[in-house]
Amino acid sequence: MGIIVNGESLELNQRIETVEDLLGHLQLKKKSLIVEHNQTILKMEQHDKAKVTEGDRFEIVHFVGGG
Amino acid sequence: MLKIGKEQFNSRLFLGTGKYPDYDIQKKAVDVSETEVLTFSVRRMNIFDPDQPNFLEKIELNKYRFLPNTAGAKDAEEAVRIAKLANASGLCDMVKVEVIGCPKTLLPDPVETLKATEILLADGFTVLPYTSDDVVLARKLEELGAHAIMPGASPIGSGQGIINPLNLQFIIEQANVPVIVDAGIGSPKDAAYAMELGADGVLLNTAVSGARNPVQMAEAMKLAIEAGRLGYLAGRIDKKTYAVASSPEDGISVGG
């Protein structure tokens, strides 16, 4: 299954059904982050419900230093 | 006590988190500053390097209120998106609206700042717009319902200090919400001056993170803001053209 994360094309061979699975696969599960799924911003509690499908676009962002 | 929306703060120093030499120095600077508000930006994560450290992991999250900015936004739509992304973290209700309208001076776009402020207020955010020192614009932001007004002292990161104290004074006089002087502060003198003018707080970043000794400068800024605030409350004397002796002029003992 091909998806796009932060502008990068990713080919997923593993079984990934939900955004939670995707974050686990990317080893980002324990991080403070925010996921936008096909331009819809997800709340934390939606991560294990949102389904990942072919061609989905994700933005995974976090807080960085700034003024 | 400084009140912004539902929040209350003892400290009047809002500290940015960008461009410190390293996280240890940054942590020490944040500690000695006694700030209660830390600003952040929202950026893409490097998904190929999941173990990259993040400053949020170094601090006790419940000790601070987070003020994410919308830096990077070029219009209201982008600012609203960034604000919503930040809010989805579950870490904050406040947002610093920052829409840059000029890449060279980094001065804010007044039209897009107004638009973004209006949309985010309607969505229930606690909105602190970063604005120029334009007096009418500051009033219009307040009329929209902004929870605080954050006029710049001078261009972001320039360290030029307060280049138009008269405008800042007008903004402070007319405001019924807190005024936080944001951007351009270079030294403790500038921060104290902002507070003496009657500002409710100061937001700064580079003045501390770029100092030769950021930890020492963080303490200096804390003290300057406290001193400026006390001086404002105490009420300074009027300026006079000529000298007025502070020692009694009669009763002088002259030999013979």
Side-chain angles (χ1 to χ4, degrees):
Chain A
M1 174 168 63
I3 60 168
I4 296 174
V5 181
N6 289 357
E8 306 275 350
S9 296
L10 288 188
E11 195 57 43
L12 304 172
N13 302 316
Q14 294 81 350
R15 196 174 146 80
I16 288 172
E17 291 184 357
T18 66
V19 169
E20 181 101 339
D21 298 339
L22 175 64
L23 294 176
H25 171 65
L26 296 172
Q27 298 173 6
L28 296 174
K29 237 175 168 172
K30 287 184 181 154
K31 299 277 175 179
S32 285
L33 49 74
I34 307 116
V35 180
E36 190 183 54
H37 182 197
N38 294 333
Q39 301 193 336
T40 300
I41 298 168
L42 302 180
K43 294 206 165 77
M44 297 299 159
E45 59 269 25
Q46 293 174 306
H47 288 178
D48 62 349
K49 297 181 194 80
K51 301 282 180 221
V52 178
T53 56
E54 174 76 31
D56 280 359
R57 300 182 78 95
F58 294 90
E59 286 288 323
I60 302 179
V61 301
H62 65 157
F63 284 158
V64 300
Chain B
M1 189 72 97
L2 170 59
K3 291 181 188 169
I4 297 178
K6 292 170 289 183
E7 306 288 354
Q8 292 194 8
F9 307 108
N10 291 307
S11 165
R12 292 173 182 273
L13 169 58
F14 292 16
L15 196 58
T17 56
K19 299 193 291 187
Y20 284 79
D22 62 52
Y23 285 150
D24 279 344
I25 290 175
Q26 181 169 6
K27 170 81 168 60
K28 285 183 188 137
V30 167
D31 284 345
V32 302
S33 77
E34 292 179 11
T35 186
E36 293 165 88
V37 178
L38 294 172
T39 65
F40 283 93
S41 300
V42 178
R43 289 290 180 274
R44 276 178 169 173
M45 234 170 165
N46 182 349
I47 55 165
F48 302 112
D49 188 6
D51 294 326
Q52 239 178 21
N54 187 290
F55 186 59
L56 281 178
E57 295 160 2
K58 312 280 176 193
I59 53 173
E60 287 175 60
L61 297 183
N62 58 8
K63 270 178 72 178
Y64 305 97
R65 290 286 172 275
F66 297 110
L67 178 60
N69 65 36
T70 65
K74 292 184 202 69
D75 58 31
E77 194 184 340
E78 288 177 8
V80 168
R81 173 174 171 266
I82 295 171
K84 287 182 173 173
L85 282 168
N87 183 254
S89 70
L91 292 172
C92 50
D93 296 315
M94 297 196 294
V95 64
K96 166 178 162 176
V97 169
E98 178 175 347
V99 187
I100 299 304
C102 170
K104 191 172 177 187
T105 61
L106 297 183
L107 288 169
D109 182 323
V111 178
E112 297 299 319
T113 299
L114 271 174
K115 272 194 223 166
T117 298
E118 189 167 23
I119 295 167
L120 290 168
L121 285 167
D123 280 344
F125 282 80
T126 300
V127 185
L128 295 75
Y130 161 62
T131 172
S132 66
D133 57 16
D134 187 283
V135 181
V136 177
L137 179 60
R139 195 192 71 222
K140 292 194 173 187
L141 287 164
E142 181 177 341
E143 284 168 359
L144 282 178
H147 296 84
I149 308 295
M150 303 214 291
S154 52
I156 293 172
S158 72
Q160 290 193 45
I162 298 172
I163 52 175
N164 194 339
L166 188 65
N167 269 23
L168 274 189
Q169 197 182 321
F170 289 156
I171 288 171
I172 289 162
E173 271 175 22
Q174 75 180 1
N176 298 301
V177 294
V179 175
I180 312 295
V181 173
D182 175 8
I185 298 292
S187 72
K189 173 200 77 172
D190 303 330
Y193 190 20
M195 298 307 292
E196 281 193 60
L197 288 170
D200 296 280
V202 170
L203 194 169
L204 52 86
N205 185 342
T206 312
V208 166
S209 66
R212 194 171 59 240
N213 184 333
V215 181
Q216 226 166 25
M217 187 58 85
E219 184 172 15
M221 288 298 185
K222 181 194 81 161
L223 295 171
I225 287 167
E226 286 173 6
R229 176 68 182 172
L230 277 177
Y232 168 73
L233 293 174
R236 60 152 295 149
I237 60 164
D238 292 333
K239 289 184 182 176
K240 301 163 198 90
T241 306
Y242 294 102
V244 182
S246 38
S247 308
E249 285 168 36
D250 51 5
I252 295 170
S253 165
V254 185

